Amino acid sequence: MTDTTGVDVKSPGDDSPLFNLIEGFVVELRTAGLPVSLVENIDAAQAVRHIPIEDRAAFKYALAATLVKNNAHWKTFETLFEVYFSLRGKEYALDPDGDDPFGEGDFEDGENPDGPPGQGGEGGGEGLSPEELAELLYQALMKGDSALMRALAKQAVKRYAGMEPGRPVGGTYYLYRTLRNLDLDGMLERLMDQSNEEAGEDQSSLDQRLQKDEYEHRIEELRKEIEAEIRRRLVADRGAEAMAKTLRKPLPEDVDFMHASRDEMANLRRAIYPLTRKLAVRLARKRRHGRKGPLDFRNTVRHSLSYGGVPAEPKFRYPKPSKPEIIVIADISGSVAAFARFTLHLVYAISSQFSKVRAFVFIDGLDEVTRFFEGVDDIAEAVHRVNTEADVVWVDGHSDYGHAFEVFWENYGKEVGPKSTVLVLGDARNNYHASQAWIMKEIQHRARKLFWLNPEPKAYWNTGDSIVGEYGAHCDGVFEVRNLRQLEGFVDNLV
Amino acid sequence: MAHRFESVDAVRSSLRDVDYLADDGIAGIAYLADRLDKPVLIEGPAGTGKTQLAKSVAEMIGARLIRLQCYEGLDESKALYEWNYKKQLLRIQTEKTDDVDWDNIQDDIFSNEFLLTRPLLEAISADDPVVLLIDEVDRVEVETEALLLEILSDYQVSIPELGTLEAKQIPLVFLTSNNTRELSEALKRRCLFLHLDYPEMEREKEIVLTKVPDITENLADQVARIVRSIRQLELKKAPSVSETIDWARTLILLGIDQISEQDAVETANVLLKYRSDIEKVVKEFSTNSQAHFEAVGS
């Protein structure tokens, strides 16, 4: 049985199953948005000749080294790899194939998952009551016994996920069902209580914290095992290609600000710091490597002295592009808050490229938040303070662009000058308040440039209460900025 | 050509012999680099052992390490080769008196004798086994990257006056990048890609054990755990492996063999290099102890 699921690697000729496998995998990667060139494809095919598919970790790294050249794409690659290769290689076969890969006789599932519990051992996994299963899991987590944990993850999925063949439900649903039944939070508490009791009074809080980290780590491992098991079962049910399609997730730089899940948000937050650093380096470089300006006569003459008065080394004036002054006016109401946060973060991270940055946030009232950023070197912290401390509610806490602009114009309008570039961030969903678009016109008149960044997809603009068109008429540009990639592109051009 | 390595496991164990603890990925890619004759592009946060990997591989196979440190403004004459024009000038002047025809001199002054080899050419023309390390390749401009392409894909250098010099033996090539900018597709395509991240706790503990003499198993374990805990916080710059090692050494010097919160907080400046990060960690560790006291009190 395992011989047919395993791939023959003894004769990796050009049309061997292995070669076709790689071919198919590369197609999957490309559909997921990873740029895999032909050369890389060939490299991968050559690499796997040297690495046996049985050595799974090495096999995975070999493929990754040849196919994935950007660490941000690793996650996507890993998921696809698991899906695509989850049923190939005998130790990853599903239980019904017989031999339990982990030698955990006690949890052997038997020949047939739907049949009676396994014959051997002291009652197969199916014979366990939920309490016993929980107890075993507790023990496994306590000891950090990964083999036992893996076996239990399988058992838990089988028991709680309620997976049925052909059911059109995504893996997250099954994951949710399994985790709900396992109550891992309660488990963590119990583990901590236990370890506190054992250590007694003299345990320092540092030890306690480390212990907690350790347990959290193990529970995370268990979660991953469960996820992997669900994936394996789904693949067995639907086939790798169909699964890959349902699991396809956007790359981090393409994640939509407005619809990011909590995990994706966390990823975005992690992604933004290296991004800003990269951007800052690039911009600084661009500034330095501007084209040469006109001849600097004095400097040339000065240098000619070392050549006996012959102007052998012409010197040029380097153009010094003026640093713009940036005024950010951001809507931070619910739906677009994340977008405002990221933009503020990015703008402040490269604030050395601007002569001055001022930030205003509003919902229906408006507040200047520049003070939060002054003298702070932790931008994330400052952005957090903006969200919690700024005074932006005037009446009811629903976006009112018209009123916010009015307040801005009244109090700060005079400070918009010919050097200022004004950025307005928001979806222009005005809840049918008065638009006060004349203020935009005034600002455009006075400022160097006025840009509007809208986190909504273009197709939704000017539908419902969105009046971005009305404001946009007075802007120098209205841009759709839905993800990090677009944001980076915009900021790059801004400088 | 004979291969340098037997198997992935062999790579791992011989790297261990030179005190470099490789995981599956690292050993596997070093092995592949040899088998496929491809350069390895190593990317990752600072202080995770990117440069050290190249050094250790060189030590392991007993090869000479040739290092090209990249920086902004690096050019052909510093990376590839340069004509020794002073020597050429001298040659022309000594010939002046005799009646030698121009063609001869020209052929003569553009010969190997007048060529100054720079790291890349040196790696190609070496007779003994070499490992070429191109360090911090992300520091050069995009245009300069092109200099590397020929050598990376074909292991040869074209000199207009001399023709193409091919490698006598194919060296192992490692490029490192701190990822301050996106490298060009052309460069990435030619390389195997290895992302070196912070190690798993177990591995970090072993690294500490090998790199810090006299450390007890218990202390190393505690160090690795605390560092993992710190890395989970959102910091500007998480502690790197080298900083972990420095910290372990500091603790040894201070004669600490059981880390208390007090010790951790007081020596945090070895691990962390930003004030805001240190503050965050101190806060995190001390609020934790507060919660603990409350729990004990109740």
Side-chain angles (χ1 to χ4, degrees):
Chain A
M1 177 85 200
T2 47
D3 288 344
T4 52
T5 49
V7 175
D8 184 13
V9 283
K10 302 288 182 294
S11 59
D14 269 4
D15 43 23
S16 71
L18 184 59
F19 189 77
N20 290 334
L21 204 59
I22 302 294
E23 198 59 50
F25 184 56
V26 167
V27 171
E28 284 302 332
L29 286 178
R30 285 194 186 132
T31 17
L34 267 63
V36 181
S37 70
L38 180 64
V39 185
E40 284 161 339
N41 190 353
I42 295 169
D43 284 345
Q46 287 197 331
V48 295
R49 286 172 187 222
H50 299 284
I51 305 271
I53 195 167
E54 283 84 15
D55 186 352
R56 200 171 168 78
F59 188 75
K60 181 160 125 188
Y61 283 117
L63 284 185
T66 45
L67 295 175
V68 186
K69 304 287 169 81
N70 184 340
N71 192 45
H73 299 159
W74 169 257
K75 192 92 201 141
T76 313
F77 166 82
E78 201 174 25
T79 315
L80 271 178
F81 179 87
E82 294 301 334
V83 168
Y84 202 79
F85 291 96
S86 59
L87 290 183
R88 319 189 205 232
K90 77 164 188 247
E91 71 273 35
Y92 288 86
L94 280 181
D95 302 342
D97 286 354
D99 56 355
D100 189 340
F102 308 109
E104 288 289 337
D106 297 20
F107 305 101
E108 187 160 355
D109 298 317
E111 289 297 313
N112 180 356
D114 303 322
Q119 312 71 342
E122 304 115 62
E126 320 257 306
L128 294 168
S129 69
E131 291 77 24
E132 282 171 319
L133 183 70
E135 185 57 33
L136 272 171
L137 194 58
Y138 171 69
Q139 296 290 348
L141 287 170
M142 192 84 195
K143 293 189 205 120
D145 180 345
S146 53
L148 183 57
M149 252 153 65
R150 203 172 307 172
L152 286 171
K154 282 191 171 194
Q155 193 51 240
V157 169
K158 195 187 250 179
R159 186 179 296 230
Y160 297 126
M163 294 172 89
E164 289 162 26
R167 203 164 156 195
V169 183
T172 37
Y173 169 73
Y174 293 127
L175 182 66
Y176 166 72
R177 280 189 59 153
T178 313
L179 292 181
R180 193 187 54 189
N181 275 296
L182 288 179
D183 183 25
L184 292 178
D185 287 343
M187 196 73 85
L188 178 64
E189 239 165 71
R190 229 181 110 197
L191 286 165
M192 281 314 292
D193 287 348
Q194 174 72 20
S195 80
N196 286 351
E197 222 165 85
E198 271 172 24
E201 290 289 309
D202 53 315
Q203 189 194 26
S204 72
S205 68
L206 185 66
D207 287 338
Q208 202 179 9
R209 186 194 166 85
L210 295 181
Q211 198 60 39
K212 189 168 175 217
D213 278 345
E214 177 64 31
Y215 287 139
E216 272 171 359
H217 182 72
R218 285 181 199 164
I219 286 178
E220 188 57 37
E221 294 282 293
L222 177 72
R223 239 180 76 103
K224 276 191 196 140
E225 282 298 336
I226 291 174
E227 237 173 290
E229 175 65 17
I230 289 174
R231 212 152 44 209
R232 273 198 284 277
R233 285 175 179 266
L234 283 175
V235 174
D237 179 26
R238 300 179 192 168
E241 282 74 12
M243 258 315 278
K245 204 174 285 170
T246 59
L247 279 175
R248 204 164 292 152
K249 279 192 194 131
L251 302 174
E253 61 259 42
D254 292 327
V255 169
D256 210 315
F257 287 131
M258 291 179 82
H259 307 108
S261 68
R262 237 178 53 187
D263 278 356
E264 284 171 332
M265 243 354 158
N267 280 339
L268 278 177
R269 263 206 303 279
R270 264 196 293 278
I272 192 137
Y273 181 66
L275 182 96
T276 52
R277 210 182 36 155
K278 246 186 245 181
L279 200 58
V281 170
R282 192 160 71 223
L283 295 177
R285 229 170 244 178
K286 221 157 126 186
R287 187 172 285 281
R288 236 174 308 151
H289 289 274
R291 262 177 303 156
K292 283 184 177 177
L295 186 75
D296 185 342
F297 185 70
R298 287 180 55 169
N299 203 0
T300 309
V301 169
R302 201 176 317 131
H303 275 85
S304 74
L305 292 179
S306 53
Y307 299 97
V310 181
E313 196 183 338
K315 292 282 171 186
F316 299 92
R317 259 183 243 278
Y318 288 93
K320 291 201 180 77
S322 65
K323 290 186 172 184
E325 177 187 316
I326 295 280
I327 297 179
V328 182
I329 309 175
D331 180 0
I332 56 164
S333 65
S335 57
V336 293
F339 166 65
R341 249 193 332 260
F342 283 116
T343 312
L344 277 176
H345 195 137
L346 201 61
V347 167
Y348 267 97
I350 56 168
S351 58
S352 60
Q353 298 299 318
F354 308 117
S355 64
K356 197 156 130 208
V357 181
R358 298 189 68 175
F360 300 87
V361 294
F362 67 90
I363 292 179
D364 54 354
L366 180 121
D367 190 14
E368 174 159 13
V369 291
T370 316
R371 63 181 186 278
F372 293 140
F373 292 94
E374 273 161 8
V376 183
D377 62 356
D378 188 350
I379 299 170
E381 179 64 30
V383 172
H384 179 72
R385 282 182 63 200
V386 167
N387 278 290
T388 47
E389 291 174 31
D391 176 24
V392 286
V393 177
W394 174 53
V395 190
D396 55 356
H398 289 105
S399 295
D400 181 347
Y401 284 69
H403 180 257
F405 290 153
E406 249 173 3
V407 175
F408 176 78
W409 189 244
E410 228 164 78
N411 299 334
Y412 308 101
K414 288 187 193 67
E415 296 174 39
V416 179
K419 271 181 145 184
S420 342
T421 298
V422 182
L423 305 180
V424 185
L425 319 176
D427 55 4
R429 295 207 170 270
N430 202 24
N431 296 307
Y432 305 104
H433 294 296
S435 75
Q436 312 286 15
W438 61 271
I439 296 174
M440 287 287 111
K441 194 173 173 186
E442 288 293 322
I443 292 178
Q444 189 202 19
H445 193 65
R446 206 175 277 182
R448 196 170 79 116
K449 288 275 188 238
L450 170 62
F451 296 116
W452 190 294
L453 309 187
N454 193 336
E456 273 195 328
K458 224 166 198 161
Y460 297 156
W461 292 8
N462 302 317
T463 60
D465 58 347
S466 164
I467 47 169
V468 65
E470 200 173 323
Y471 290 128
H474 306 296
C475 295
D476 294 300
V478 184
F479 300 95
E480 174 198 69
V481 179
R482 288 164 56 200
N483 50 41
L484 275 187
R485 196 197 293 270
Q486 286 173 331
L487 183 58
E488 189 190 358
F490 172 78
V491 176
D492 207 0
N493 286 328
L494 182 65
V495 182
Chain B
M1 198 186 120
H3 294 298
R4 298 173 184 90
F5 308 132
E6 279 293 307
S7 66
V8 178
D9 284 327
V11 176
R12 193 173 8 214
S13 63
S14 10
L15 273 175
R16 179 180 284 271
D17 292 341
V18 291
D19 283 353
Y20 190 94
L21 299 177
D23 63 11
D24 278 344
I26 298 173
I29 286 165
Y31 171 76
L32 271 183
D34 172 42
R35 288 291 151 120
L36 300 181
D37 291 331
K38 284 206 150 240
V40 182
L41 171 63
I42 315 171
E43 195 184 272
T48 43
K50 298 185 293 289
T51 308
Q52 188 58 45
L53 175 61
K55 286 186 192 165
S56 299
V57 168
E59 191 185 338
M60 173 178 119
I61 57 177
R64 185 157 56 100
L65 183 75
I66 296 177
R67 180 171 179 165
L68 173 67
Q69 174 68 50
C70 295
Y71 52 87
E72 246 188 283
L74 179 82
D75 59 8
E76 217 176 16
S77 62
K78 293 189 186 99
L80 275 172
Y81 65 90
E82 196 174 9
W83 289 109
N84 190 346
Y85 75 96
K86 289 181 191 125
K87 204 170 167 190
Q88 285 174 332
L89 220 63
L90 213 60
R91 171 91 179 101
I92 295 169
Q93 283 180 341
T94 46
E95 293 284 351
K96 233 176 196 170
T97 47
D98 309 335
D99 206 19
V100 184
D101 73 277
W102 168 244
D103 282 344
N104 271 341
I105 300 184
Q106 199 193 6
D107 285 348
D108 203 27
I109 60 170
F110 287 113
S111 66
N112 265 326
E113 198 194 336
F114 298 93
L115 196 63
L116 293 173
T117 56
R118 300 291 183 220
L120 293 184
L121 185 61
E122 198 182 334
I124 288 284
S125 49
D127 294 311
D128 52 333
V130 291
V131 169
L132 174 63
L133 167 63
I134 303 175
D135 215 4
E136 308 196 14
V137 68
D138 53 331
R139 283 177 187 265
V140 299
E141 294 87 358
V142 186
E143 299 78 34
T144 323
E145 263 180 34
L147 277 181
L148 303 171
L149 298 181
E150 188 183 9
I151 196 168
L152 291 182
S153 57
D154 298 327
Y155 296 99
Q156 64 179 35
V157 174
S158 296
I159 301 173
E161 296 87 351
L162 266 187
T164 305
L165 298 182
E166 279 184 35
K168 294 179 180 143
Q169 37 112 15
I170 292 178
L172 277 177
V173 184
F174 291 90
L175 298 92
T176 72
S177 156
N178 281 328
N179 207 6
T180 54
R181 68 173 173 84
E182 204 68 42
L183 298 172
S184 73
E185 285 300 316
L187 183 76
K188 284 183 170 183
R189 207 173 53 222
R190 285 167 170 80
C191 300
L192 297 172
F193 182 80
L194 172 65
H195 183 84
L196 271 191
D197 217 327
Y198 301 118
E200 293 277 303
M201 194 198 83
E202 281 301 319
R203 208 176 74 139
E204 183 147 42
K205 177 181 152 190
E206 283 192 52
I207 293 173
V208 171
L209 277 173
T210 28
K211 290 282 177 183
V212 184
D214 312 328
I215 196 165
T216 59
E217 171 107 23
N218 185 20
L219 184 60
D221 184 60
Q222 223 183 352
V223 164
R225 276 166 196 270
I226 292 175
V227 169
R228 175 175 73 174
S229 185
I230 290 177
R231 284 201 190 117
Q232 275 166 2
L233 305 171
E234 269 185 36
L235 297 176
K236 248 181 147 169
K237 168 78 180 76
S240 68
V241 182
S242 49
E243 279 155 346
T244 309
I245 294 172
D246 286 347
W247 190 47
R249 287 199 178 127
T250 311
L251 291 171
I252 294 278
L253 284 177
L254 292 173
I256 296 167
D257 48 50
Q258 184 73 30
I259 308 169
S260 65
E261 291 103 89
Q262 187 72 14
D263 301 329
V265 165
E266 275 170 10
T267 52
N269 56 341
V270 181
L271 273 178
L272 300 162
K273 301 293 153 71
Y274 287 96
R275 200 172 49 88
S276 60
D277 284 354
I278 296 177
E279 273 166 13
K280 203 177 243 173
V281 167
V282 169
K283 197 171 113 201
E284 193 72 26
F285 276 31
S286 42
T287 48
N288 202 59
S289 62
Q290 215 125 46
H292 176 67
F293 288 133
E294 278 161 24
V296 169
S298 64

